[in-house]
Amino acid sequence: MPPIEELELSNEAQIRSILETYQDPYLGCALGAAGVIRGLSVDACSITASLEFGFPLGRYEPQLRTALEQALRGEAGACAIDLQLSWSVQARGVQKGVQRHPAVKNVIAVASGKGGVGKSTVAVNLALSLQAQGARVGMLDADIYGPSQPRMLGMQGKPDSSDGKTFAPMRPYGLQAISIGLMVDEETPMIWRGPMVSQALQQLMFQTRWEQLDYLIIDLPPGTGDIQLTLSQRVPVSGAVIVTTPQDIALLDARKAFRMFQKVEVPVLGVVENMSLHICSQCGHAEPVFGHGGAGRMARDYGIELLGELPLDIRIREQADSGKPTVAADPEGQLSEIYHAIALKTAARLSLRPKDYSGIMPKVVVQGEPAGKS
């Protein structure tokens, strides 16, 4: 009979293999490939494993723990299983030549290419979902001509500017939020040319006193114009999410948005299909009034992730219009669960991107010899 030490070594190899090959549904890859396994100890009666994820586990942690324990149980037998699960959001790489904001680890741009597809609603619920997972989250409303976030988040009044140069973000539902809509009357049109709009975006980004955010969600206006160009050249963006509806006319512009991000070297984390199915408020019947599966086809064509499909449901509209978005209004509801899954996929896919070391790498300064020294 082999010594107990050999049996333990054999078990440890099997246990490590189970952990390394476990496919996480949000990461979309094995834990070994994601590099989350930090330590493993196996003895005759217990298994201790330490795993650190690069995205917030929050609500997901109990489900993940149960799934991992079930995967290990066959090999563990009657052994005690101690899973030490933790997470830490790290700054990810941004465009070349653009410096990361010192108070913001990751900027995620939410874009559509076309108006009217529910981009702002997805953006605000994405922000609230990431916060529900435990992350520190901000919302920047970059739709200068048609800001929606003050109404959606129920924000009123003007942001504080104690020094006359910077703004304190508003705090709806715990988010740090800013919008040009807070500084003008709701019915006042923004009759500005491109340079003024671009300057406004930069002021909102860099003159807001963000307080150490894991994620800043930027709600972009439709199209591929001045705001998007300024974003790619001036704002450090770690990744983008594209929102579309299923019909071809919306997908045409969504594909343009994808190509735009490609050209400016911003990785697209995935696509969301909004209004995928209409849910009848009377009988619950589901019908694809705008077609179905368009975003999935786009995702396959470009090799990106389909982050989720949202129904055309009257509650989403009513909640956004009332200033209490779905994730805040009904955090445990079926609709919120879809948003939570989209948020987890978004953050998990971002965690697989290369880290940004610019903030921790020392600066090398080369100086010449003092004058007169030989």
Side-chain angles (χ1 to χ4, degrees):
M1 179 177 178
I4 185 71
E5 291 84 359
E6 292 184 17
L7 289 174
E8 290 171 6
L9 289 173
S10 174
N11 283 347
E12 181 172 341
Q14 291 296 324
I15 294 297
R16 182 174 293 278
S17 176
I18 291 170
L19 288 174
E20 288 182 342
T21 58
Y22 176 82
Q23 296 283 326
D24 182 85
Y26 297 109
L27 284 167
C29 68
L31 298 186
V36 303
I37 302 172
R38 296 288 182 265
L40 176 63
S41 174
V42 179
D43 60 28
C45 60
S46 68
I47 297 168
T48 302
S50 174
L51 294 87
E52 183 179 7
F53 292 78
F55 62 97
L57 298 181
R59 301 163 52 91
Y60 178 44
E61 192 270 345
Q63 176 188 342
L64 175 62
R65 181 180 298 277
T66 298
L68 289 173
E69 288 178 350
Q70 289 176 347
L72 292 171
R73 183 55 64 190
E75 188 67 28
C79 289
I81 299 175
D82 178 16
L83 292 176
Q84 300 170 1
L85 305 180
S86 62
W87 59 272
S88 176
V89 176
Q90 303 296 320
R92 302 294 157 175
V94 298
Q95 314 94 300
K96 293 177 183 177
V98 181
Q99 292 294 317
R100 184 170 65 84
H101 193 293
V104 180
K105 290 181 180 178
N106 298 288
V107 172
I108 300 175
V110 181
S112 62
K114 189 173 188 63
V117 299
K119 166 191 51 62
S120 294
T121 307
V122 171
V124 71
N125 281 292
L126 172 62
L128 289 166
S129 292
L130 287 171
Q131 181 176 256
Q133 302 297 338
R136 294 166 297 185
V137 186
M139 163 63 71
L140 193 161
D141 186 356
D143 194 344
I144 305 298
Y145 292 121
S148 302
Q149 296 305 333
R151 171 64 65 92
M152 288 188 174
L153 284 168
M155 295 187 290
Q156 296 180 344
K158 297 185 183 299
D160 175 65
S161 180
S162 56
D163 59 3
K165 298 178 181 178
T166 60
F167 307 107
M170 305 291 269
R171 301 280 181 157
Y173 306 109
L175 293 176
Q176 298 179 41
I178 198 73
S179 170
I180 196 71
L182 296 168
M183 303 169 201
V184 296
D185 183 82
E186 189 175 45
E187 296 185 6
T188 299
M190 302 301 292
I191 309 174
W192 287 356
R193 294 189 184 275
M196 294 178 66
V197 173
S198 297
Q199 184 179 2
L201 171 61
Q202 293 180 71
Q203 288 180 311
L204 291 175
M205 177 70 195
F206 296 107
Q207 292 179 223
T208 299
R209 299 194 296 271
W210 306 112
E211 296 182 13
Q212 298 306 316
L213 297 176
D214 294 315
Y215 305 102
L216 175 63
I217 306 301
I218 297 188
D219 179 13
L220 286 176
T224 54
D226 291 313
I227 286 285
Q228 289 79 2
L229 184 60
T230 300
L231 184 87
S232 65
Q233 294 177 334
R234 306 288 185 183
V235 178
V237 184
S238 300
V241 171
I242 296 175
V243 180
T244 185
T245 49
Q247 70 266 45
D248 290 343
I249 198 70
L251 287 162
L252 284 172
D253 288 335
R255 290 172 182 266
K256 290 176 185 176
F258 174 81
R259 293 295 191 190
M260 175 196 70
F261 286 122
Q262 267 193 326
K263 288 182 179 294
V264 298
E265 299 182 334
V266 171
V268 175
L269 304 172
V271 58
V272 175
E273 182 168 285
N274 200 23
M275 309 182 199
S276 185
L277 293 168
H278 172 250
I279 308 297
C280 177
S281 60
Q282 300 300 316
C283 67
H285 172 69
E287 184 177 7
V289 293
F290 295 127
H292 182 71
R297 291 192 297 274
M298 175 181 167
R300 289 191 296 273
D301 289 345
Y302 293 134
I304 58 177
E305 179 70 17
L306 176 62
L307 297 172
E309 298 173 326
L310 288 155
L312 177 61
D313 191 302
I314 192 172
R315 291 171 294 175
I316 296 176
R317 194 274 302 165
E318 290 175 339
Q319 290 158 349
D321 282 353
S322 69
K324 196 167 188 180
T326 301
V327 171
D330 186 15
E332 305 298 328
Q334 184 180 9
L335 294 172
S336 291
E337 288 302 322
I338 302 174
Y339 283 119
H340 291 321
I342 290 171
L344 278 172
K345 274 192 177 183
T346 300
R349 298 309 165 99
L350 179 59
S351 76
L352 298 176
R353 302 291 307 170
K355 292 181 182 179
D356 176 21
Y357 293 103
S358 62
I360 60 175
M361 292 294 287
K363 292 184 178 180
V364 178
V365 180
V366 179
Q367 295 178 333
E369 293 185 352
K373 184 176 180 179
S374 59

